[in-house]
Amino acid sequence: MAIGVQQSDVWEAADALLKAGEQPTIERVRLHMGRGSPNTVGPHLKAWFRTLGERLTGAPTSISAPIPDSIAQAAQHFWDLAMNEARTQWQEAIAQEREALSKEREALANEQAHLAAEQKRLEQRETDLKAAIYSAREQAAAAQDRAQALAAQLSQSEARAQALETRLTEAADRERALQEQLHQLQGRHRDELRAAEERHASHERRWLTDLDAQRQTARKLQDELEEARKLASQREEEHAAALAQAADSHRQSEAQLHESRQDLARARQQITAQENTLKALEAQQARTELAAATIQQNLQERLAELNQRVAEQGEQMRVKDQQIAAQTDALSRLQLQLLDALQALQHKPAEKAAE
């Protein structure tokens, strides 16, 4: 009749695995015994782990035989592996945290440098725009002064043209007076000619004499009339030339005034455009300053968060150091307990043999 796996069988197999430097597990215990199911071995192995501390604590402290070198080397090997693994994990965690902090600080420095450069560029652009607006205002003032000077010159030209028109009118009046005088002389001549013709019959010789005198007077008057006409024509040409010159000067003044007005209008448009640009720049600067303040606040918040994370990580590292120290103490105690257990296991076969 086959007997099932007993608790003592599992415990002996676990003790043998522990003595061989291996960690007792369900599969290793089953392989060591060559039989048993996981459901049967598992509860016995848990009971072995629960009573391991008590058995180690209650083991005799007197050692009649020295600890084998293989067991001591295995325990020291496990101890070194545990310490190296703990140190490696701690160093890797510290290196990763430091690298992350360095990257975040570098990103913060880059963002602050970019923000400072952008603010400097905006200040330079504002200075350039103010200088351009000041220059445009000076040009507009100069154009306005030129326009006022041209307007005064135009007023003077109009006054001269009006004076020339007055003189031309006076010359025309004098010409009309001379023509009336000529008509009067011609009328008198005709009257005298008729009178002479009436007196021709009785006073032929006197008539001829008077006729010659009248002819001479008529020729003289005709010459005077021709001279007056020539003088009037000359004066009319002079007045026409002066009037044309005044008209040309008036047109030139008007053209210059129109050009000055156009320059003034363009300068005003330029000033308006530059003022609009300045307003847009001021609005953009306000938005940029608001964005910069927001970015600065975000940077401060991120810096505070990073400082808090650094503090938390420092606290975590301190806790890890404490845990590592505690694990080191626990491993030291476990090593002592394992040595005591191994010594106790060495005495058990001797005790059984003595019984």
Side-chain angles (χ1 to χ4, degrees):
M1 183 175 178
I3 300 174
V5 176
Q6 301 297 321
Q7 182 177 355
S8 59
D9 300 331
V10 175
W11 284 24
E12 289 178 359
D15 292 338
L17 290 172
L18 184 62
K19 186 185 298 184
E22 297 181 2
Q23 181 180 358
T25 61
I26 296 175
E27 293 299 326
R28 288 176 179 174
V29 171
R30 290 178 64 240
L31 291 174
H32 183 76
M33 293 188 303
R35 58 194 178 93
S37 63
N39 294 331
T40 303
V41 175
H44 296 321
L45 186 60
K46 288 182 180 179
W48 180 84
F49 276 111
R50 283 195 301 268
T51 59
L52 179 60
E54 297 177 358
R55 292 190 294 115
L56 292 175
T57 303
T61 56
S62 61
I63 301 175
S64 59
I67 300 174
D69 293 337
S70 60
I71 296 175
Q73 290 175 0
Q76 185 64 37
H77 177 68
F78 288 147
W79 171 260
D80 293 337
L81 287 178
M83 291 297 294
N84 291 331
E85 183 68 22
R87 289 194 188 95
T88 302
Q89 292 178 358
W90 181 75
Q91 290 175 357
E92 289 179 354
I94 292 298
Q96 291 177 358
E97 293 295 336
R98 287 178 178 174
E99 184 178 0
L101 288 175
S102 177
K103 289 182 179 179
E104 291 183 357
R105 286 176 181 171
E106 184 178 358
L108 286 175
N110 292 332
E111 290 180 1
Q112 289 177 351
H114 178 71
L115 181 61
E118 184 67 18
Q119 187 174 2
K120 185 176 180 181
R121 186 182 67 81
L122 289 175
E123 291 176 355
Q124 183 64 34
R125 185 177 179 185
E126 183 180 2
T127 303
D128 295 339
L129 282 176
K130 286 182 179 178
I133 289 174
Y134 180 75
S135 177
R137 286 178 179 173
E138 288 184 348
Q139 292 177 2
Q144 190 171 4
D145 293 338
R146 289 197 302 271
Q148 292 177 356
L150 289 174
Q153 185 177 359
L154 179 62
S155 299
Q156 294 176 0
S157 299
E158 289 177 352
R160 288 196 298 269
Q162 187 175 2
L164 289 174
E165 288 179 357
T166 302
R167 290 174 61 184
L168 184 60
T169 302
E170 292 176 356
D173 293 338
R174 285 195 298 270
E175 184 180 2
R176 284 194 297 270
L178 289 174
Q179 287 179 356
E180 289 178 359
Q181 187 178 1
L182 179 61
H183 289 316
Q184 290 176 1
L185 288 174
Q186 288 177 352
R188 280 199 308 240
H189 176 66
R190 285 193 299 270
D191 293 339
E192 289 176 357
L193 184 59
R194 284 194 298 270
E197 286 177 353
E198 291 176 355
R199 292 190 301 272
H200 181 268
S202 58
H203 304 289
E204 183 176 1
R205 187 175 292 174
R206 186 179 176 181
W207 177 80
L208 291 172
T209 303
D210 292 334
L211 181 61
D212 291 334
Q214 292 294 331
R215 286 178 178 176
Q216 291 177 359
T217 302
R219 283 195 297 269
K220 185 177 179 180
L221 291 174
Q222 188 70 28
D223 294 335
E224 291 178 356
L225 180 61
E226 290 294 330
E227 290 178 359
R229 285 180 178 177
K230 289 180 180 179
L231 180 61
S233 177
Q234 184 178 1
R235 289 181 178 178
E236 184 177 2
E237 291 176 356
E238 292 177 356
H239 291 325
L243 185 61
Q245 183 178 2
D248 292 336
S249 177
H250 180 68
R251 285 193 297 271
Q252 292 177 359
S253 299
E254 287 182 346
Q256 292 177 354
L257 179 60
H258 180 66
E259 184 178 357
S260 298
R261 287 175 179 173
Q262 288 181 349
D263 293 338
L264 181 59
R266 286 193 295 269
R268 288 176 178 173
Q269 290 178 357
Q270 185 178 4
I271 290 175
T272 302
Q274 291 178 349
E275 288 178 348
N276 293 330
T277 304
L278 181 59
K279 290 179 181 179
L281 179 61
E282 290 176 352
Q284 183 180 1
Q285 184 178 4
R287 291 192 298 271
T288 304
E289 290 177 353
L290 180 60
T294 304
I295 292 172
Q296 188 70 23
Q297 184 178 1
N298 292 332
L299 289 175
Q300 292 178 357
E301 291 177 356
R302 290 183 60 187
L303 184 59
E305 183 180 356
L306 285 174
N307 292 330
Q308 184 178 1
R309 288 181 58 188
V310 169
E312 291 177 355
Q313 290 172 358
E315 182 65 22
Q316 292 177 1
M317 285 188 289
R318 187 179 64 80
V319 173
K320 287 180 180 179
D321 291 338
Q322 293 178 355
Q323 292 176 355
I324 290 172
Q327 291 176 359
T328 302
D329 294 338
L331 287 172
S332 298
R333 290 193 299 269
L334 181 59
Q335 186 179 15
L336 294 175
Q337 292 175 1
L338 287 173
L339 293 175
D340 294 340
L342 292 174
Q343 291 174 359
L345 290 174
Q346 288 177 357
H347 287 289
K348 281 184 179 180
E351 291 177 356
K352 287 182 179 181
E355 291 177 355

